[in-house]
Amino acid sequence: MLAHIYRLKKDTVQFFKYVMKDIVTGSSSEACFELGMFYKDIEDYKEACNWFENARSETFPILNNKYGDELPKKELRECYEILRSKLKDEDRHLGQLYEELIEELEE
């Protein structure tokens, strides 16, 4: 997938050029995963979680089954842990929610 290469090269224009072609033609787990990685790389962890969840549950892989389950679960877990670690004491309820989400991913 060309989008993967352009994401690694940090060529945002070319990345979006290719990933959006996949999105408008029905989308795949791979495209959603790449979008998740893009947002994770720029530290927008909430948006990354949305795309990793889409890779897991809203789309299907076309090249590699790991993009439909194993890889997005791993990345979701990491994002939830980062988000939980950034919470202040007054956000304990949200921290508890992230903890529950992490536990669900481990099942």
Side-chain angles (χ1 to χ4, degrees):
M1 191 172 168
L2 289 172
H4 174 75
I5 294 166
Y6 288 117
R7 181 182 59 79
L8 294 175
K9 291 173 75 173
K10 300 195 183 311
D11 186 337
T12 304
V13 172
Q14 292 300 313
F15 168 75
F16 276 101
K17 176 181 174 180
Y18 287 99
V19 80
M20 295 314 288
K21 286 179 182 179
D22 185 81
I23 296 294
V24 298
T25 59
S27 196
S28 66
S29 295
E30 289 89 345
C32 292
F33 181 83
E34 288 300 327
L35 281 161
M37 291 302 295
F38 172 82
Y39 286 107
K40 184 180 177 199
D41 289 346
I42 63 168
E43 299 181 2
D44 186 343
Y45 300 108
K46 288 181 181 178
E47 188 64 21
C49 287
N50 290 333
W51 287 105
F52 292 135
E53 193 58 49
N54 286 337
R56 278 186 66 221
S57 61
E58 301 297 327
T59 57
F60 298 97
I62 56 173
L63 298 174
N64 185 333
N65 284 338
K66 290 182 178 184
Y67 285 93
D69 186 47
E70 181 183 328
L71 296 175
K73 277 174 77 170
K74 175 188 172 290
E75 297 300 331
L76 270 168
R77 189 177 304 116
E78 287 181 19
C79 287
Y80 289 147
E81 289 172 355
I82 291 166
L83 287 167
R84 184 182 61 190
S85 73
K86 292 181 176 231
L87 293 174
K88 298 179 178 137
D89 287 336
E90 61 268 13
D91 295 324
R92 289 180 198 208
H93 176 70
L94 191 54
Q96 217 169 6
L97 175 62
Y98 287 135
E99 184 63 36
E100 291 170 12
L101 291 168
I102 292 166
E103 288 174 13
E104 284 179 25
L105 292 169
E106 293 172 356
E107 294 175 356

